[in-house]
Amino acid sequence: MTRTAVVTGGGTGIGRAIAEQLVKQGLDVVVTGRRADLLAAAAREVGARAVAFDAADPAQVEAALAELPDRVDVLVNNAGGNETRRRPEPTDLAQVRDLWTANYASNVLTAVLVTTALEPRLADDARVITVGSIAARRGSGSYGAAKAAIEAWTADLAFRLGGRGITVNVVAPGVIEDTDFFGGEPLTGERRAKLVGNPANGRAGKPADVAAAVTFLASPEAGHITAQVIGVNGGSALGR
Ligand SMILES: NC(=O)c1ccc[n+]([C@@H]2O[C@H](COP(=O)([O-])OP(=O)(O)OC[C@H]3O[C@@H](n4cnc5c(N)ncnc54)[C@H](OP(=O)(O)O)[C@@H]3O)[C@@H](O)[C@H]2O)c1
């Protein structure tokens, strides 16, 4: 039977690369995201199917279920981003609350709502992979805190679903260029040097680097790797 995959945020950057690699592995892939036109074009290009909805909105997730696969072998919770980059520095408590709430919605609720909605459809031996961030261990304010929350939730889910052979992991990238994460502009000059820093392999990551780790964790062979956080950061953080 052909394995199925749902990749949230699959229209751009890392999610798109993940969808592309899963299609190459022979899976039937659904990509999701809010911008329907962009998503449809990306889906066509990689050979996936597009289902547009806001993964942080319970009603939209619920409504999308009719278009999502009846059986899900691989769920990649990739949708997210750093809302701090899209807003001015908060100047009062209401703005602080709004920023924290926005990062929580974008990075935690998207994963929790889609996974909860699809949980009854997860096949035995399914794979659930959520894209976290190196920021979870580095600070990074409300964005890092949201990505840290993903790690705690992942551990809980791994124990709850482990008896069915389902694995649940986080892939935590360092700086990945060629995504819309930094505002859609190519990373250049001083900004790039500061962000990339001095990793062991001397380079920034690419979406395909993250996709390779996700594809491995999504494979049937990776059944004994669960409740883990796998760094894809070129050695920017030491994995021990
Ligand atoms: N690039 C990096 O350096 C880096 C580093 C560490 C972790 N990450 C993480 O990697 C993941 C992918 O980001 P990226 O770097 O590939 O950036 P990206 O190109 O901006 O991709 C984010 C994707 O998520 C979708 N998305 C965001 N909020 C959504 C929502 N509420 N509902 C549905 N879809 C939503 C976006 O599509 P729509 O706007 O159309 O909805 C977009 O396709 C994110 O979780 C990010 O936090 C990135």
Side-chain angles (χ1 to χ4, degrees):
M1 198 186 306
T2 304
R3 294 170 82 228
T4 63
V6 175
V7 181
T8 69
T12 63
I14 293 170
R16 181 185 160 126
I18 292 168
E20 201 170 1
Q21 288 206 21
L22 292 177
V23 168
K24 280 190 186 144
Q25 299 285 318
L27 280 80
D28 267 347
V29 178
V30 171
V31 287
T32 81
R34 290 164 299 187
R35 289 165 292 173
D37 291 351
L38 175 149
L39 189 68
R44 256 194 317 275
E45 282 163 28
V46 305
R49 185 163 66 81
V51 180
F53 64 95
D54 183 345
D57 179 338
Q60 289 195 36
V61 175
E62 194 88 47
L65 279 174
E67 294 178 72
L68 294 174
D70 292 338
R71 193 195 77 252
V72 176
D73 295 287
V74 177
L75 170 59
V76 184
N77 294 307
N78 161 79
N82 191 348
E83 295 294 327
T84 318
R85 296 182 186 283
R86 301 183 184 125
R87 290 160 187 252
E89 181 80 14
T91 54
D92 60 31
L93 286 183
Q95 287 176 12
V96 171
R97 177 203 54 200
D98 291 350
L99 175 59
W100 278 73
T101 306
N103 264 321
Y104 200 79
S106 178
N107 294 285
V108 183
L109 289 183
T110 51
V112 172
L113 293 181
V114 173
T115 304
T116 305
L118 288 178
E119 193 180 317
R121 300 185 187 183
L122 289 176
D124 287 349
D125 293 321
R127 307 282 178 251
V128 179
I129 300 138
T130 302
V131 178
S133 174
I134 196 172
R137 314 285 174 97
R138 287 234 163 127
S140 305
S142 53
Y143 173 67
K147 291 301 196 187
I150 282 299
E151 295 186 10
W153 169 72
T154 290
D156 189 46
L157 201 61
F159 278 87
R160 210 150 55 69
L161 301 179
R164 291 174 52 203
I166 298 173
T167 66
V168 190
N169 291 290
V170 171
V171 168
V175 170
I176 307 295
E177 55 189 355
D178 302 339
T179 70
D180 290 349
F181 186 84
F182 299 101
E185 298 294 316
L187 282 179
T188 52
E190 227 173 87
R191 182 170 180 239
R192 182 175 194 282
K194 192 166 167 230
L195 279 165
V196 175
N198 194 19
N201 66 358
R203 69 169 176 88
K206 299 277 185 192
D209 293 319
V210 183
V214 170
T215 303
F216 169 65
L217 289 172
S219 69
E221 290 75 18
H224 202 48
I225 303 174
T226 194
Q228 302 301 307
V229 178
I230 311 289
V232 181
N233 56 45
S236 293
L238 299 181
R240 55 187 179 178

